[in-house]
Amino acid sequence: MKNIWKHLLLTFLFMGICWGLCLVLSFTGITMKENKWIYLPWMLGGISPAIASFIVLKKNGEVAGFKDWLGHVFDFKQSPWSYLLAITLPLFHMILMCLISGYRKGLPLYFLPLMILAMIFGGGLEEAGWRYITWPELNKKFGFVLSTLITAVIWWIWHLPLFFIQGVSQYHKSFLIFGIMVLGLSFMLAVIRKLTGSVWLCVLCHSIVNSMSNFYHYDFYGSYLASSITAAVLIVISLLLIFIFKKGKKNE
C-alpha cells in the first residue's frame, strides 16, 4: 500500500501545480483560446498519474529505468481475445450512450486511428497510474468491487479542477453525471486489468472511449438517464465477466 500513498501524493501534487496554474489564469480571464501555451500545463497535469507512476516505481526499484517502465506500460504482446475485450467494451459503452441520449455525427471514421493515438496522451496515459498502481494495490487488500469503487472516487476527484478551467471540455459541465460515468468506466477498466493483466490494454480502452465522442457526439455530461443506465450495464457486464473467469479457474 506504500506505493499507493506515494503515487497519490505525487499525482495530486503535480496535478495541483499544473491545473492550479490553469485555474488561476482562467479565473483572471487568461484562457486557452487566446493563449495556446496554457495547453502545456494542462497536458502535464493530465499525465500526472503517469509521471508519478514512473517516479515511484523507479525509486522503489520496481523498474530499472524509463525504458523498462515504458515496456511495462506498453505491453503490446497480448492475446487476440484480450484485444477484443479492450476494444469491444468501449465500443459497447459508446453505442449505449448513443442509443439512450442520441447523437450527431462528427469526424469521419478514417481519422479514428490518429485520434486514438492522440488520446493516448489525452487521457490514456492516466492508466499508467490508476490501473498500474492504484487499482492493483487496492485489489490485493479489498477485492475487486471495493477496490474499483475506491479507485473510481479517487479518479473522479482528481478530475475536479477541469470543471472550472475555461477552454477544456469539462468546463461548467455536471461533475455528478461525470462521476456516474467514471464509476461505470472504472469497472470496465478494472475488469480488463484483472482478466488480461495488461496496463496497455487499459490505456487503449481509455483512449478509445475518449476518441469516440469526436466521431459520434453524444450527451456525455448532460444526461443522468444515459450515464446511469450505461454505468449500471458496464458494472453488470464486468461482474459477470469476473464470475465467468472465476468459474473457469475452478473448473481447471
Side-chain angles (χ1 to χ4, degrees), residues 25-204:
L25 293 171
S26 181
F27 289 152
T28 56
I30 302 173
T31 65
M32 292 178 173
K33 187 176 181 181
E34 294 83 18
N35 301 273
K36 302 301 182 185
W37 65 269
I38 300 176
Y39 280 97
L40 179 59
W42 170 69
M43 290 180 66
L44 288 174
I47 62 171
S48 59
I51 295 171
S53 169
F54 170 68
I55 293 172
V56 169
L57 295 174
K58 177 67 170 67
K59 187 175 181 180
N60 290 351
E62 296 181 41
V63 294
F66 187 63
K67 185 177 180 181
D68 186 33
W69 178 80
L70 283 177
H72 283 81
V73 174
F74 295 99
D75 50 338
F76 298 125
K77 292 183 179 180
Q78 302 296 327
S79 70
W81 180 88
S82 297
Y83 271 98
L84 182 63
L85 181 68
I87 294 170
T88 302
L89 286 178
L91 290 180
F92 184 70
H93 162 267
M94 181 271 296
I95 291 169
L96 269 179
M97 288 294 294
C98 289
L99 288 174
I100 300 169
S101 67
Y103 71 95
R104 56 187 175 82
K105 287 187 177 181
L107 292 173
L109 279 175
Y110 55 76
F111 283 112
L112 184 58
L114 286 175
M115 184 60 69
I116 291 174
L117 183 62
M119 286 301 165
I120 289 176
F121 299 94
L125 268 180
E126 293 174 29
E127 302 308 318
W130 307 133
R131 252 58 62 168
Y132 189 169
I133 295 178
T134 308
W135 182 83
E137 290 293 322
L138 288 170
N139 185 53
K140 292 175 185 177
K141 185 172 183 179
F142 299 112
F144 182 82
V145 173
L146 186 54
S147 62
T148 304
L149 290 172
I150 296 170
T151 303
V153 172
I154 295 170
W155 191 23
W156 179 44
I157 293 172
W158 176 81
H159 279 93
L160 180 60
L162 295 177
F163 289 76
F164 301 95
I165 300 173
Q166 295 183 54
V168 303
S169 61
Q170 294 91 346
Y171 181 64
H172 274 189
K173 299 295 197 316
S174 171
F175 187 57
L176 180 57
I177 292 178
F178 178 72
I180 296 170
M181 286 310 309
V182 163
L183 180 61
L185 294 174
S186 293
F187 273 87
M188 179 176 72
L189 289 161
V191 80
I192 291 171
R193 184 71 167 94
K194 175 74 174 179
L195 299 187
T196 69
S198 172
V199 178
W200 153 243
L201 291 179
C202 293
V203 173
L204 177 62

